[in-house]
Amino acid sequence: MIAAGLLMALAATVLGFAGLGMTGHMAAHMGAVAVAAPVLSFPRGSGVPDCRLRGDDGRAGGPLAWATIEFVVVWAWHAPALRGLADMHPAVAVIEQAMFLAVGIGLWRAAFAHPAGGVAALLLTSMHMTLLGALLGLAPRPLYAMMAMHPAPGLSPLADQQLGGVVMLVVGGAAYCLGGLALLGTMLRERAAA
């Protein structure tokens, strides 16, 4: 499972450099935080996380702290100044993607280790991913100069940004929402069985 997660993270990073504009850029980010991170964080040795195995896993921070860190990292990298820096310097773009993967892993691990807080953290993250995706998708003009100069093939800069926003809204929003609901369902089943 670790090899699959690492392969997904690498594929997501490569996708960000594939010349697919804002759409490819958002697909790369979602591949890191919403696909590779939960795969790399999923508890080993069982088909589903055992919500009865709570407690301190030796890592700092609970799920809501990680959700806050993830929020700050994601929104900061989408501020025009940092976005422009990452667009102009491939090394900065790799750091950006690594930070997304790291905070994604931190959030998903904390959610699996502390499921009650994890449900809240994943659902809150779903909301802010949906909001950022909607803001990008509904903006009346391209927000990022470098992205506007290199849109996905066949799309105008605005259409590329809008599609990128939809990718974030659908993939990011859905992955975190479904993760939170699955964790909640597991907790409720375990409570009913006890």
Side-chain angles (χ1 to χ4, degrees):
M1 191 101 140
I2 290 175
L6 291 173
L7 184 60
M8 289 176 201
L10 179 61
T13 302
V14 169
L15 182 62
F17 291 99
L20 299 175
M22 183 70 146
T23 303
H25 167 85
M26 281 302 167
H29 290 340
M30 293 303 101
V33 300
V35 180
V39 169
L40 289 167
S41 304
F42 198 79
R44 308 292 175 247
S46 68
V48 295
D50 184 352
C51 293
R52 295 169 294 186
L53 299 177
R54 297 187 189 105
D56 184 13
D57 60 354
R59 291 174 173 76
L64 291 174
W66 275 105
T68 302
I69 294 166
E70 194 269 353
F71 171 84
V72 169
V73 168
V74 167
W75 283 75
W77 278 106
H78 287 88
L82 276 179
R83 179 74 261 125
L85 189 62
D87 289 339
M88 291 188 306
H89 303 286
V92 176
V94 169
I95 291 168
E96 172 194 35
Q97 189 74 355
M99 287 179 72
F100 285 156
L101 182 62
V103 297
I105 289 171
L107 174 57
W108 285 97
R109 281 189 179 168
F112 289 136
H114 308 281
V119 169
L122 292 175
L123 293 177
L124 286 170
T125 302
S126 171
M127 287 189 269
H128 91 75
M129 287 284 188
T130 300
L131 176 60
L132 184 54
L135 290 173
L136 293 170
L138 297 173
R141 61 177 177 73
L143 300 176
Y144 306 112
M146 288 297 290
M147 289 282 178
M149 292 178 3
H150 306 285
L155 295 177
S156 71
L158 183 58
D160 182 36
Q161 177 180 289
Q162 291 169 336
L163 186 55
V166 169
V167 168
M168 182 174 208
L169 188 152
V170 172
V171 177
Y176 285 103
C177 183
L178 292 174
L181 293 175
L183 201 53
L184 178 61
T186 301
M187 287 175 54
L188 293 174
R189 279 190 302 280
E190 287 174 359
R191 181 173 288 169

